[in-house]
Amino acid sequence: MEKRGWRTLALVLIGTLLGTAGTVAAAENQTAVLPFTIYSQEDLNYLQKNILEALQGSLSRQKIPVLPLQEVEPWLTQKIPSSWEELRRIGRSLGVGRVVYGSVTKIGQRVTLAGNLLEVNKDQPPQTFSLSEEGLENVLKLVDRFSKELALKITGLEKVASIQIRGSQRIESQAVERELKSKPGEAYQPDLVDQDLRAIFKMGYFSDVRVETETVPEGKKLIFNVTERPFVKKIEFKGNKDFKEEELRDQVTLKPFAILNMNAVNESLEKLKTFYQSKGYFNVQINPEVQPEDKQSVTVAFNIVEGRKVYIKTITFQGVKAFKVKQLLSIMETNEKDFLSWITSSGLYKKELLEKDLEKISAFYYNRGYLKAKVGEPEVKHEGDWLYVTIPIEENVQYKMGTVDIQGELIEPKEKMLAGLAIRKEKFYNREVIRNDVLKLVDRYSLDGFAFAEIIPQIKEDPAGPQVDLVYEIKKGSKVYFERIDIVGNTKTRDKVIRREFKVAEGGLFDAAGLRRSNENLNRLDFFEEINISTTPGSQEDRMNLKVEVKEKMTGSFSMGVGYSAADQFSVMGQIAQRNLFGRGQRLSLDAYLSTRNTRYNLAFTEPWLFDIPLSAGASLYNWIREYDEYTKDSFGGTVDLGYLLWGDFTRGYLTYTYDDANVSNVQANAPDPIRNSEGQNTTSSLRFTLKRDSRDQLFNTTKGSLNSFSVEYAGGPLGGTSQFTRYLAGSGWYFPLFWGTTFFVNGKAGYIQEHGKVPDYEKFYLGGINSIRGFKYYDIGVVDPVTGNKFGGDKMVQFNLEYIFPVIEKAGVKGVLFFDTGNVYLKDDPIDASNFKKTVGVGVRWYSPMGPLRLEWGYNIDPKPGEDTSNWDFSIGTFF
């Protein structure tokens, strides 16, 4: 018992001694960095602690053990001794193996950092070195360089003096050096050099890579000797029969005259296989072959055995009881081959497309009460020229909706919030409806500034039956304010042009609806190809920054349209315009219309934000000469208008003054009296008030929103002029988004002119043309003189348009349109009778092409009267620069 006790005591003593020795060894490995003395004519003492912290941090990142900052901070207020012995005593008292001290000297703009590394337990002079930088702003860069030199001296490692790349002719040395972890001025480490060799070889451009080292006074010089692979002289495709070489070349990432990179060859191989399989060639075999041409070049040949097209013969479902197979097939884009496959490509197997279809099937079940439905991995069997797809489904039971409740931090009475939930109207569980409810609640909370409100739907099964109860748990979080709005990407458009479209402001509450509206406003400007609005955290928890990234489009345009009609013969319409003049959002345009019987010029300018408020101002000058069948009109004039945002985001009021001086001449002897009465000089001085509400999402290829307007124009009286009338116009056009990206458009327009004296014929109403009733030429619908059969302007008009707009080539933005137009023009005492409306139907194509908006439309006159055309083409195109 006694011997055992002595043995235990001995073990404890040995362990204590070993632990103490380990502690001493660890302490001796530490370095104490003392504050550096500052020498400068200006007061730079504030830098002393900053340099000390930066130096300690940099050494720690290099795995150099340093004494904690609080241990050496007392020396910030004391003078650092110059005696080595005194410094060694300081080191011993701090329990470290070495001491670093030095000075910072600033003479002019030159900053020098001089350092000393003193070994505490060795009787030898300190190692000294110094580095300099130009400019006080580079002091941290200087400290970083200094710390790396210091780390080398502490560890005893050699420095990488320089790096040289030999043998690279087509690949730039800088591209190779970017792959290296070894850097000049840093420690030479053989394991890093080994990683560098692997990194260079992994680039794929070299067939051999070797490294040499040379010892130079500054340290180690690294020389990487590389042997470049040959370059690709040409790329060939062999065995392709059903696809042209140009189509295949578009698929490969390997390019001629590039360095041979086997990674690119293999990537090209996979892309070619994917391309063939997407076209139905499921059995395609492609083998790449590298053929040397000479010492420096090769030909890469892809040998292709296309095989026959493979189509999906059948798609079957396992476990389906609740729905008909046709219902599931109808929601899938993957389908079986049919007799139109040569046109529609039906029956082609695409793995990515099938995966999306499985997600659609899952959503279909979840939205019809099947909460636990599972759509398994499809089995694709390949037999001969056919594929057989089997999709396993576990339906499980259908769950009814039970009670619906809202709990948590409510900002409105519970009854009101519950009333807005669509899921309460559903008989069965519906994931899509629940998701939409969550989005509505998030939007509602965002209106009050709660940007991070959490709406968590809690679903609980009712044990009494296949039914679920739903509780929306709400945590509103803190109100969030916009701290800063940053705009990037606008090289031309001024910041204020973008900012004034925003419905949120710096310092204002977060508002998701306002952000959406801001995005719509920017899109409506039509100045940008892309608009991305993102948020980032601000300086505090309740602050958020907004980043608006835009990619500008060309807003200058040169637009042209051509046409032919019996009235004008061949005509050319042109416009040169800038919709964003000097980046200020101003519009300047010059229009011209030239034909054998019609010449019109118009110069117009619009400032949308006069005095930086939503007050638009515009002015125009024009000259117009037109030869009608019965007379010639030569006029010049101009307009001045003001517009102001009256309420909401869409409704504006406009006040327009117009002056027109026209001479009517060459009146035919058999012209109707209204035209004969217009002969001679006519002046119109009028003032028009217009109320307009425009909520369209975009001006061309509109998909939703409406355009509604009403105007009253008064001419004559105190305004002067020979024309005396009041003209009323009203219009309403609505766009309704439908299924499959289609849109339905309904438009109505009516006008009435009240005469107070002389009213020239050209001030009255005519219809016809691409913007009114297609199938009729421009101004081809008017009141018909029962005696001569000639037309003259009416006192009132009615026009209706119906359009069904559908995508033709969706990715290219090409849309088709089917339309029905109807309407007519009447005298003031004539009843408006729908039975005598002109009626046309037709088709058209619209494309926002690289040259600008293009419209090609053909209208057919359903019931042509004597002298009327049965059909008419309208065409217009624009070019943007």
Side-chain angles (χ1 to χ4, degrees), residues 826-846:
Y826 301 91
L827 294 175
K828 63 179 179 179
D829 295 328
D830 293 340
I832 296 176
D833 186 358
S835 64
N836 59 24
F837 278 6
K838 307 295 182 182
K839 301 178 183 67
T840 65
V841 295
V843 297
V845 176
R846 296 172 184 175

Side-chain angles (χ1 to χ4, degrees), residues 789-810:
N790 294 330
K791 301 183 183 71
F792 59 91
D795 299 311
K796 51 190 177 184
M797 69 86 177
V798 178
Q799 167 193 330
F800 295 101
N801 311 94
L802 299 177
E803 292 184 353
Y804 179 66
I805 306 166
F806 53 92
V808 176
I809 307 175
E810 192 166 3

Side-chain angles (χ1 to χ4, degrees), residues 423-436:
I423 191 62
R424 299 178 70 203
K425 302 174 183 178
E426 296 292 322
K427 182 179 179 181
F428 296 100
Y429 169 85
N430 190 314
R431 188 180 67 174
E432 183 66 22
V433 174
I434 292 174
R435 182 184 289 119
N436 291 335

Side-chain angles (χ1 to χ4, degrees), residues 664-678:
V664 175
S665 60
N666 300 324
V667 178
Q668 298 295 317
N670 63 343
D673 288 342
I675 294 178
R676 294 181 62 81
N677 294 336
S678 303

Side-chain angles (χ1 to χ4, degrees), residues 607 609-613 615:
E607 165 57 73
W609 282 69
L610 189 63
F611 310 125
D612 288 328
I613 61 174
L615 173 67

Side-chain angles (χ1 to χ4, degrees), residues 579-684:
R579 295 178 289 110
N580 189 13
L581 189 64
F582 306 123
R584 298 175 181 269
Q586 300 165 336
R587 176 183 174 86
L588 180 66
S589 64
L590 174 63
D591 300 82
Y593 180 93
L594 306 173
S595 73
T596 55
R597 304 180 63 182
N598 197 353
T599 303
R600 183 175 71 245
Y601 301 98
N602 185 70
L603 177 66
F605 172 80
T606 301
E607 165 57 73
W609 282 69
L610 189 63
F611 310 125
D612 288 328
I613 61 174
L615 173 67
S616 64
S620 69
L621 292 171
Y622 62 84
N623 177 247
W624 190 357
I625 302 173
R626 180 174 178 84
E627 295 181 12
Y628 295 91
D629 290 338
E630 295 83 6
Y631 63 94
T632 299
K633 175 195 171 192
D634 184 352
S635 66
F636 71 90
T639 64
V640 177
D641 66 79
L642 297 173
Y644 192 75
L645 186 65
L646 296 178
W647 60 81
D649 296 324
F650 309 116
T651 306
R652 300 181 69 92
Y654 297 88
L655 192 64
T656 305
Y657 173 76
T658 301
Y659 180 83
D660 179 84
D661 189 340
N663 181 44
V664 175
S665 60
N666 300 324
V667 178
Q668 298 295 317
N670 63 343
D673 288 342
I675 294 178
R676 294 181 62 81
N677 294 336
S678 303
E679 188 172 9
Q681 205 70 24
N682 299 271
T683 56
T684 301

